[in-house]
Amino acid sequence: MRQMAHVDINTQVGSSMPLACMRTGTIIHKIEVYPAEGGKLVRAAATSAKILKKTHFKPTIGTVSNPSHGATKLRKAGQSRWLGRRPVVGGVAMNPVDHPHGGGEGRSKSSRNHGRCSLTPWGKPCNS
């Protein structure tokens, strides 16, 4: 007769329970800071946390799935827009009222060896 391994239901991946019931060193995700509030910490794709000290939080055992989330390549600018990201326009392409690098005829440089130093949108020097 084979001996079946004892599986503790509390230590299975996906179980959620108070942190006091878990062992130190357990990999967890989706941590509730306050009871019945829902998970607030460690919720992004491919993230996890490790229990170092017992507190009053209520996490879920395991890691968040989708480890290749950051490796996906966007094929066109429209995909970035679908995710809610707005386009970024350089200061050289703006007017002088909009950015310190703006204005001038054609494309005017703003690096150190061509006149002005590089500035932030508020006129403070940067890249020093």
mmCIF file of all heavy atoms in Angstrom, residues 11-15 22-29 47-51 59-64:
data_model
loop_
_atom_site.group_PDB
_atom_site.id
_atom_site.type_symbol
_atom_site.label_atom_id
_atom_site.label_comp_id
_atom_site.label_asym_id
_atom_site.label_seq_id
_atom_site.Cartn_x
_atom_site.Cartn_y
_atom_site.Cartn_z
ATOM 1 N N THR A 11 -1.657 25.589 3.218
ATOM 2 C CA THR A 11 -0.414 25.982 2.548
ATOM 3 C C THR A 11 -0.494 25.818 1.037
ATOM 4 O O THR A 11 0.515 25.894 0.366
ATOM 5 C CB THR A 11 0.769 25.161 3.084
ATOM 6 O OG1 THR A 11 0.493 23.786 2.851
ATOM 7 C CG2 THR A 11 1.003 25.428 4.548
ATOM 8 N N GLN A 12 -1.682 25.573 0.486
ATOM 9 C CA GLN A 12 -1.815 25.436 -0.950
ATOM 10 C C GLN A 12 -1.785 26.803 -1.624
ATOM 11 O O GLN A 12 -2.240 27.785 -1.064
ATOM 12 C CB GLN A 12 -3.118 24.730 -1.300
ATOM 13 C CG GLN A 12 -3.068 23.250 -1.016
ATOM 14 C CD GLN A 12 -4.311 22.562 -1.526
ATOM 15 O OE1 GLN A 12 -5.313 23.195 -1.782
ATOM 16 N NE2 GLN A 12 -4.219 21.249 -1.673
ATOM 17 N N VAL A 13 -1.255 26.843 -2.861
ATOM 18 C CA VAL A 13 -1.190 28.077 -3.631
ATOM 19 C C VAL A 13 -2.603 28.584 -3.872
ATOM 20 O O VAL A 13 -3.489 27.824 -4.258
ATOM 21 C CB VAL A 13 -0.456 27.846 -4.960
ATOM 22 C CG1 VAL A 13 -0.537 29.072 -5.846
ATOM 23 C CG2 VAL A 13 0.980 27.465 -4.700
ATOM 24 N N GLY A 14 -2.817 29.871 -3.643
ATOM 25 C CA GLY A 14 -4.126 30.482 -3.820
ATOM 26 C C GLY A 14 -4.919 30.609 -2.545
ATOM 27 O O GLY A 14 -5.950 31.278 -2.516
ATOM 28 N N SER A 15 -4.457 29.977 -1.460
ATOM 29 C CA SER A 15 -5.157 30.101 -0.188
ATOM 30 C C SER A 15 -4.928 31.480 0.399
ATOM 31 O O SER A 15 -3.849 32.047 0.292
ATOM 32 C CB SER A 15 -4.651 29.052 0.806
ATOM 33 O OG SER A 15 -4.871 27.766 0.306
ATOM 34 N N MET A 22 0.416 31.686 8.764
ATOM 35 C CA MET A 22 1.400 31.260 7.766
ATOM 36 C C MET A 22 2.786 31.170 8.369
ATOM 37 O O MET A 22 3.095 31.832 9.351
ATOM 38 C CB MET A 22 1.416 32.247 6.598
ATOM 39 C CG MET A 22 0.152 32.288 5.817
ATOM 40 S SD MET A 22 0.344 33.380 4.410
ATOM 41 C CE MET A 22 -1.318 33.399 3.811
ATOM 42 N N ARG A 23 3.627 30.361 7.720
ATOM 43 C CA ARG A 23 5.007 30.211 8.176
ATOM 44 C C ARG A 23 5.877 31.340 7.658
ATOM 45 O O ARG A 23 5.636 31.870 6.572
ATOM 46 C CB ARG A 23 5.575 28.894 7.664
ATOM 47 C CG ARG A 23 4.894 27.693 8.225
ATOM 48 C CD ARG A 23 5.622 26.441 7.780
ATOM 49 N NE ARG A 23 4.778 25.308 8.088
ATOM 50 C CZ ARG A 23 4.604 24.290 7.282
ATOM 51 N NH1 ARG A 23 5.214 24.251 6.126
ATOM 52 N NH2 ARG A 23 3.822 23.299 7.628
ATOM 53 N N THR A 24 6.918 31.670 8.382
ATOM 54 C CA THR A 24 7.894 32.651 7.926
ATOM 55 C C THR A 24 8.653 32.056 6.741
ATOM 56 O O THR A 24 9.019 30.891 6.753
ATOM 57 C CB THR A 24 8.882 32.995 9.062
ATOM 58 O OG1 THR A 24 8.140 33.415 10.194
ATOM 59 C CG2 THR A 24 9.828 34.093 8.650
ATOM 60 N N GLY A 25 8.842 32.871 5.678
ATOM 61 C CA GLY A 25 9.527 32.412 4.480
ATOM 62 C C GLY A 25 8.582 32.002 3.370
ATOM 63 O O GLY A 25 9.024 31.670 2.281
ATOM 64 N N THR A 26 7.268 32.040 3.613
ATOM 65 C CA THR A 26 6.293 31.677 2.583
ATOM 66 C C THR A 26 6.223 32.781 1.528
ATOM 67 O O THR A 26 6.254 33.961 1.845
ATOM 68 C CB THR A 26 4.902 31.483 3.215
ATOM 69 O OG1 THR A 26 4.996 30.531 4.270
ATOM 70 C CG2 THR A 26 3.892 31.012 2.196
ATOM 71 N N ILE A 27 6.124 32.395 0.256
ATOM 72 C CA ILE A 27 5.975 33.346 -0.848
ATOM 73 C C ILE A 27 4.489 33.700 -0.954
ATOM 74 O O ILE A 27 3.641 32.814 -1.046
ATOM 75 C CB ILE A 27 6.480 32.738 -2.169
ATOM 76 C CG1 ILE A 27 7.952 32.326 -2.042
ATOM 77 C CG2 ILE A 27 6.277 33.710 -3.319
ATOM 78 C CD1 ILE A 27 8.898 33.467 -1.794
ATOM 79 N N ILE A 28 4.189 35.010 -0.971
ATOM 80 C CA ILE A 28 2.798 35.463 -0.940
ATOM 81 C C ILE A 28 2.578 36.572 -1.966
ATOM 82 O O ILE A 28 3.530 37.107 -2.533
ATOM 83 C CB ILE A 28 2.411 35.982 0.468
ATOM 84 C CG1 ILE A 28 3.369 37.081 0.911
ATOM 85 C CG2 ILE A 28 2.356 34.853 1.463
ATOM 86 C CD1 ILE A 28 3.002 37.769 2.183
ATOM 87 N N HIS A 29 1.310 36.929 -2.220
ATOM 88 C CA HIS A 29 0.934 38.072 -3.056
ATOM 89 C C HIS A 29 -0.434 38.567 -2.603
ATOM 90 O O HIS A 29 -1.059 37.964 -1.732
ATOM 91 C CB HIS A 29 0.925 37.688 -4.545
ATOM 92 C CG HIS A 29 -0.218 36.820 -4.951
ATOM 93 N ND1 HIS A 29 -0.224 35.471 -4.736
ATOM 94 C CD2 HIS A 29 -1.396 37.114 -5.540
ATOM 95 C CE1 HIS A 29 -1.349 34.955 -5.192
ATOM 96 N NE2 HIS A 29 -2.096 35.944 -5.680
ATOM 97 N N THR A 47 4.876 39.350 -9.709
ATOM 98 C CA THR A 47 5.419 39.870 -8.448
ATOM 99 C C THR A 47 5.088 38.919 -7.301
ATOM 100 O O THR A 47 4.131 38.159 -7.365
ATOM 101 C CB THR A 47 4.860 41.259 -8.113
ATOM 102 O OG1 THR A 47 3.442 41.181 -8.014
ATOM 103 C CG2 THR A 47 5.255 42.267 -9.156
ATOM 104 N N SER A 48 5.889 38.987 -6.264
ATOM 105 C CA SER A 48 5.645 38.192 -5.068
ATOM 106 C C SER A 48 6.359 38.855 -3.896
ATOM 107 O O SER A 48 7.186 39.742 -4.075
ATOM 108 C CB SER A 48 6.144 36.757 -5.248
ATOM 109 O OG SER A 48 7.532 36.746 -5.446
ATOM 110 N N ALA A 49 6.010 38.424 -2.709
ATOM 111 C CA ALA A 49 6.647 38.909 -1.486
ATOM 112 C C ALA A 49 6.966 37.698 -0.616
ATOM 113 O O ALA A 49 6.423 36.610 -0.823
ATOM 114 C CB ALA A 49 5.735 39.873 -0.742
ATOM 115 N N LYS A 50 7.841 37.886 0.342
ATOM 116 C CA LYS A 50 8.234 36.802 1.235
ATOM 117 C C LYS A 50 7.976 37.244 2.663
ATOM 118 O O LYS A 50 8.282 38.384 3.031
ATOM 119 C CB LYS A 50 9.713 36.485 1.033
ATOM 120 C CG LYS A 50 10.177 35.229 1.691
ATOM 121 C CD LYS A 50 11.613 34.942 1.284
ATOM 122 C CE LYS A 50 12.035 33.586 1.747
ATOM 123 N NZ LYS A 50 13.398 33.279 1.350
ATOM 124 N N ILE A 51 7.416 36.368 3.472
ATOM 125 C CA ILE A 51 7.132 36.699 4.871
ATOM 126 C C ILE A 51 8.443 36.704 5.646
ATOM 127 O O ILE A 51 9.139 35.691 5.714
ATOM 128 C CB ILE A 51 6.161 35.682 5.489
ATOM 129 C CG1 ILE A 51 4.835 35.701 4.751
ATOM 130 C CG2 ILE A 51 5.956 35.985 6.971
ATOM 131 C CD1 ILE A 51 3.854 34.649 5.205
ATOM 132 N N PRO A 59 -2.490 37.945 3.462
ATOM 133 C CA PRO A 59 -2.044 37.752 2.078
ATOM 134 C C PRO A 59 -2.608 36.470 1.469
ATOM 135 O O PRO A 59 -3.288 35.695 2.111
ATOM 136 C CB PRO A 59 -0.535 37.645 2.226
ATOM 137 C CG PRO A 59 -0.382 36.988 3.552
ATOM 138 C CD PRO A 59 -1.517 37.486 4.411
ATOM 139 N N THR A 60 -2.276 36.252 0.190
ATOM 140 C CA THR A 60 -2.611 35.034 -0.538
ATOM 141 C C THR A 60 -1.314 34.312 -0.866
ATOM 142 O O THR A 60 -0.341 34.942 -1.277
ATOM 143 C CB THR A 60 -3.365 35.382 -1.833
ATOM 144 O OG1 THR A 60 -4.513 36.144 -1.494
ATOM 145 C CG2 THR A 60 -3.794 34.143 -2.575
ATOM 146 N N ILE A 61 -1.290 33.005 -0.709
ATOM 147 C CA ILE A 61 -0.074 32.227 -0.949
ATOM 148 C C ILE A 61 0.192 32.118 -2.446
ATOM 149 O O ILE A 61 -0.740 31.962 -3.234
ATOM 150 C CB ILE A 61 -0.201 30.832 -0.323
ATOM 151 C CG1 ILE A 61 -0.320 30.963 1.199
ATOM 152 C CG2 ILE A 61 0.981 29.950 -0.680
ATOM 153 C CD1 ILE A 61 -0.550 29.671 1.911
ATOM 154 N N GLY A 62 1.455 32.208 -2.845
ATOM 155 C CA GLY A 62 1.861 32.041 -4.234
ATOM 156 C C GLY A 62 2.298 33.340 -4.864
ATOM 157 O O GLY A 62 2.385 34.373 -4.217
ATOM 158 N N THR A 63 2.606 33.287 -6.170
ATOM 159 C CA THR A 63 3.014 34.477 -6.913
ATOM 160 C C THR A 63 1.921 34.829 -7.912
ATOM 161 O O THR A 63 1.133 33.977 -8.313
ATOM 162 C CB THR A 63 4.322 34.244 -7.695
ATOM 163 O OG1 THR A 63 4.100 33.207 -8.637
ATOM 164 C CG2 THR A 63 5.457 33.893 -6.773
ATOM 165 N N VAL A 64 1.897 36.089 -8.349
ATOM 166 C CA VAL A 64 0.962 36.502 -9.373
ATOM 167 C C VAL A 64 1.464 35.949 -10.701
ATOM 168 O O VAL A 64 2.655 35.964 -10.981
ATOM 169 C CB VAL A 64 0.865 38.052 -9.424
ATOM 170 C CG1 VAL A 64 -0.174 38.484 -10.428
ATOM 171 C CG2 VAL A 64 0.527 38.605 -8.054
#
